[in-house]
Amino acid sequence: MRILVATAVPVERDAVARAFTGDRVTVLAAGVGPALAAATTATALTTAALQGTPYGLVVSAGIAGGFLPHAPVGSLVVADEITAADLGAETAKGFVPVTELGFGAVTHRPPAALVRAAVAATGARAGAVLTVSTVTGTAARAAALRARHPTALAEAMEGFGVAEAAGAHGVPVLEIRAVSNPVGPRDRAAWRIGDALAALTEAFGKLTPLLESWKHHDD
C-alpha cells in the first residue's frame, strides 16, 4: 500500500521523511491552512490515481498547539476526530457550525482501529484535533474552543483540508501531531518547535511498520 503524508511546511516534511525509506511513502509540504492543504493533497491523490499508483492512506502530520493540561508541550496526539472548528457563522447566540446551517461537513473520523494501533505504537493520546484558519491567541478563545469541543487535545491548520481531499477520493485519513506550544496567549519564548519536530520523527519511526502493513479492511 502506498501512503501519502501531508505536512504544512518543509521543516515538518523533513522531520517525517527521516523515518521512511523506500518509495511506498510520499511526504509532501502541502502548505499552510486548510484550503492550500486540501488543494495540494487532492492534486497529489489525483495524479497518483491517473498514473495507476493510487494511495491507500493519507496522513496529516506536523506540529500543533496543545490544550493544557490535556496535551502538554512535547506530547503526541492522534486524532480520533478531525474537526473544522471555525467553519460556520457567528450569531447573537454564539458560533454555529456550517452543518447546522444545512451545508457540508465539519468532521472526519479516522479508522478507529488504526487510531488505537497508532496510540499503542507511539504512546500518544487520542482525541479531537481542531483545524482553524486563525491560530488561537487568547485564553478566552482557547476556553471557548475547548467548551465547544470537550475532547479536543490540539489545534492545527491543515488536518480538515487534508481529510476533505482524502474523503473526496475515498481514501482513509489519519492525523498525527506533536505539540510545540500551548493553545492560548502567544508566547514565542515558550514554544518548543525543535523538540516537537524530534518527537514527530520518533513517532513516525515507530509508526512506519504499522502504516505500511495496515489494510483498510483491518478496521
Side-chain angles (χ1 to χ4, degrees):
M1 180 184 71
R2 298 185 70 223
I3 302 165
L4 176 64
V5 182
T7 68
V9 293
V11 68
E12 293 173 323
R13 176 197 61 204
D14 296 344
V16 172
R18 281 193 284 271
F20 293 106
T21 59
D23 58 1
R24 296 175 64 188
V25 179
T26 302
V27 187
L28 60 83
V32 175
L36 184 54
T40 306
T41 302
T43 298
L45 289 169
T46 299
T47 299
L50 290 174
Q51 292 174 343
T53 55
Y55 292 102
L57 175 67
V58 176
V59 183
S60 177
I63 61 176
F67 287 94
L68 297 178
H70 316 284
V73 172
S75 64
L76 289 168
V77 174
V78 175
D80 59 12
E81 171 188 316
I82 302 169
T83 292
D86 53 8
L87 181 59
E90 291 289 349
T91 74
K93 296 182 179 180
F95 179 80
V96 177
V98 72
T99 47
E100 293 186 20
L101 302 175
F103 305 103
V106 294
T107 295
H108 289 269
R109 296 189 182 277
L114 182 57
V115 171
R116 290 193 297 270
V119 166
T122 62
R125 291 195 63 186
V129 176
L130 305 182
T131 299
V132 295
S133 294
T134 301
V135 174
T136 297
T138 67
R141 185 170 188 248
L145 286 173
R146 180 72 184 180
R148 289 207 306 265
H149 306 280
T151 67
L153 295 181
E155 168 193 278
M157 299 183 75
E158 295 78 32
F160 184 77
V162 172
E164 286 278 89
H169 281 261
V171 179
V173 67
L174 186 69
E175 183 169 12
I176 302 166
R177 296 284 172 175
V179 176
S180 60
N181 57 277
V183 177
R186 291 173 64 80
D187 177 9
R188 292 296 297 266
W191 292 9
R192 298 291 181 267
I193 293 176
D195 292 344
L197 292 171
L200 199 62
T201 300
E202 181 180 358
F204 272 92
K206 296 174 181 177
L207 282 170
T208 299
L210 167 66
L211 296 178
E212 292 184 337
S213 64
W214 181 77
K215 301 290 190 297
H216 198 185
H217 57 70
D218 291 343
D219 203 77

